[in-house]
Amino acid sequence: MDTYTRRGVLKAGAAGVATLGLSSAASGQQSSAYGGYLAEEGTWDGLTADATGLDEVTVEVGASGNNGNFAFAPPVVLVEPGTTVQWQWTGAGGGHNVVHFPQDVDASNLTNEDFFDQFAFNSQTETEGTTINEEGFVYEYTAEETGVFPYVCTPHRTLQMKGVLVVGEDNAETELSPFGSGGGDGGTALSTVVGGAAVFGGVTLAGVAAYRELVGADTE
């Protein structure tokens, strides 16, 4: 039979509080990093996927998220100049595109072809201005200029189907996670751990007084 000590319960509660602090920090990063561009995007865990050192990286288009298949995975990726980024369509979520979308643009001109031409990358230049829903379709862009490049699926912009391409390590604004490790693609595991720890920590702290009355002293 398991034996629970008061000291052990208090330690568990402290761990829950510490984890809550980690969650709060990640939440703060998510709302403010990259100009707050992804503050309402539902899959980002607040980390930047670090793909430096790779010649090619693949980002899924139409990944699960934002109440459907309306996400890029990972939503934020860091590469070095000269890296080829391949956006690959999952075939889910309807027709998508990938358009570099600086935050200060006038969205009222979204149907103007000349408007799109001024951006660093735009998948519609290769698809005669149409969106694509074909599974396996790939759009490539070789990143040469350093900087932060917000982008969007324009038909699903209001659903927060957004991403950020970061070129050059000096431009990363959050902590990094290894590319392909699962970080940044929804944060489900982190959310589960944080949520569980938070609940356990809260229950632990609330029940300390009752536990003291029940046990009376530490037992080893």
Side-chain angles (χ1 to χ4, degrees), residues 6 22 31-32 66 163 174 184-185 197:
R6 182 170 61 187
L22 174 62
S31 62
S32 61
N66 298 306
T174 75
D185 59 359

Side-chain angles (χ1 to χ4, degrees), residues 1-212:
M1 178 178 179
D2 293 336
T3 300
Y4 297 94
T5 68
R6 182 170 61 187
R7 182 180 297 117
V9 171
L10 290 172
K11 285 181 178 179
V17 172
T19 308
L20 275 175
L22 174 62
S23 175
S24 297
S27 177
Q29 281 188 330
Q30 182 170 345
S31 62
S32 61
Y34 306 115
Y37 185 69
L38 299 176
E40 298 181 29
E41 201 281 333
T43 69
W44 189 38
D45 60 8
L47 302 176
T48 297
D50 183 6
T52 56
L54 300 178
D55 294 330
E56 293 184 350
V57 299
T58 299
V59 176
E60 288 188 354
V61 179
S64 178
N66 298 306
N67 297 312
N69 289 90
F70 306 120
F72 297 102
V76 185
V77 62
L78 167 66
V79 301
E80 297 171 329
T83 302
T84 297
V85 182
Q86 298 181 327
W87 283 275
Q88 183 167 329
W89 272 242
T90 65
H96 302 301
N97 59 23
V98 175
V99 180
H100 172 214
F101 201 81
Q103 291 168 269
D104 58 353
V105 301
D106 179 2
S108 65
N109 291 321
L110 283 176
T111 58
N112 186 327
E113 292 184 7
D114 293 335
F115 174 78
F116 287 120
D117 288 342
Q118 66 183 294
F119 295 149
F121 50 87
N122 174 13
S123 65
Q124 294 196 135
T125 60
E126 296 187 5
T127 62
E128 298 182 349
T130 63
T131 59
I132 297 294
N133 58 9
E134 175 189 347
E135 181 180 1
F137 178 80
V138 173
Y139 169 65
E140 291 188 351
Y141 168 71
T142 300
E144 300 292 355
E145 181 182 353
T146 60
V148 174
F149 300 89
Y151 62 90
V152 68
C153 170
T154 57
H156 300 127
R157 180 170 58 92
T158 59
L159 298 177
Q160 301 301 316
M161 188 169 174
K162 299 176 178 179
V164 176
L165 174 64
V166 183
V167 185
E169 292 184 64
D170 291 344
N171 293 307
E173 297 182 12
T174 75
E175 294 182 6
L176 306 180
S177 64
F179 180 81
S181 68
D185 59 359
T188 303
L190 176 63
S191 298
T192 301
V193 171
V194 169
V199 171
F200 182 75
V203 170
T204 298
L205 293 176
V208 166
Y211 183 84
R212 284 176 176 166

